[in-house]
Every structure is written in C-alpha cells, then in structure tokens.
Amino acid sequence: MKFKALTSIVHNAADSLASGMGFMIGVYGIDIFGEAGRSTEGTITVDFLTGRVVAGVASASLVEAVQLYRTAFDELCVKHGVEPWSFKAATAKFGTDRQLGQWFETFVEDRDGRTSTDRYFGLESRRL
C-alpha cells in the first residue's frame, strides 16, 4: 500500500467536510469554518478514526456530522483499496486566516510511523 493513498483519503474526507455539503454522509449545511471562527482556539480539529471533534468547540449538529464521518471514512478507505487499520492517525484541523481565508490542515500517520502534514486553502482546497 502506498502512503500517498492514505494522505489522499484523509484529504478527500477533509475536503468533503470543508465544502459544507458533506456529500460523504448525506448531510448538508455544515459550516465548519464558521464554527472554527467562533471557537476559542479559532480552529476545530476532527479525528476521522474516532469520529470526534478533538479540539475546538463544535455545535451539536457538527458533532453529529463528524460522528457520521467515522463510518464514511472506513467506506472511503475500502473504496480506495485501503484497510482502515492502516492508519495510526487521520485528523484535519480547520480554521480561517485574514489574508488567505479558509484553510484546513491534514495530518496522517501510518502504522509504520510515516507522517505527513499538508495545508490547503480556499474552497478549492489548493496548496499554497
């Protein structure tokens, strides 16, 4: 299994959540960036492996959506031919920046200890 496949899966899940549409879970109207902006830390971090918000303050509806991403994440892994247990960590941190706007950062760690952190900006989730 290629490590790039793991980073791609986490990016896809984070991008789905960032889009506000939540197509992976069938939930619409998610505003994770708005909620991140209202959070004390100014960010919200999601753990896709546990389906929990692990940093920041999230509304009940966002917490519910993130819980649904737990199952959807496993399904996405299977769709890409990756065993979900291949991940040791799969998180995404969402926030806003005055100059660059909305951003999210993904963190991936596999069972062999390889890690990757990537940052994406805007609704198109492009790298800076």
Side-chain angles (χ1 to χ4, degrees):
M1 170 205 43
K2 302 230 182 229
F3 186 70
K4 182 68 178 159
L6 301 182
T7 61
S8 176
I9 290 167
V10 176
H11 171 265
N12 289 346
D15 190 44
S16 173
L17 191 51
S19 76
M21 302 297 180
F23 290 126
M24 283 179 59
I25 58 171
V27 173
Y28 300 89
I30 301 166
D31 184 12
I32 196 160
F33 293 110
E35 292 198 33
R38 291 186 293 275
S39 184
T40 306
E41 299 87 354
T43 62
I44 289 181
T45 303
V46 171
D47 183 337
F48 291 112
L49 299 180
T50 63
R52 296 180 42 220
V53 174
V54 294
V57 179
S59 67
S61 63
L62 180 57
V63 167
E64 182 180 328
V66 170
Q67 289 171 345
L68 293 172
Y69 268 91
R70 169 68 190 97
T71 303
F73 186 80
D74 283 355
E75 293 168 357
L76 184 62
C77 288
V78 170
K79 188 185 271 187
H80 282 80
V82 171
E83 296 290 337
W85 54 263
S86 301
F87 291 92
K88 188 173 181 182
T91 63
K93 179 189 268 187
F94 299 85
T96 59
D97 181 279
R98 287 184 174 238
Q99 292 183 5
L100 299 173
Q102 300 172 337
W103 59 268
F104 66 88
E105 182 177 272
T106 59
F107 176 76
V108 177
E109 183 175 3
D110 71 3
R111 293 289 170 189
D112 295 326
R114 290 178 290 194
T115 64
S116 174
T117 303
D118 295 297
R119 201 169 212 193
Y120 303 90
F121 295 89
L123 290 177
E124 304 84 25
S125 65
R126 63 190 181 279
R127 289 187 180 176
L128 187 62

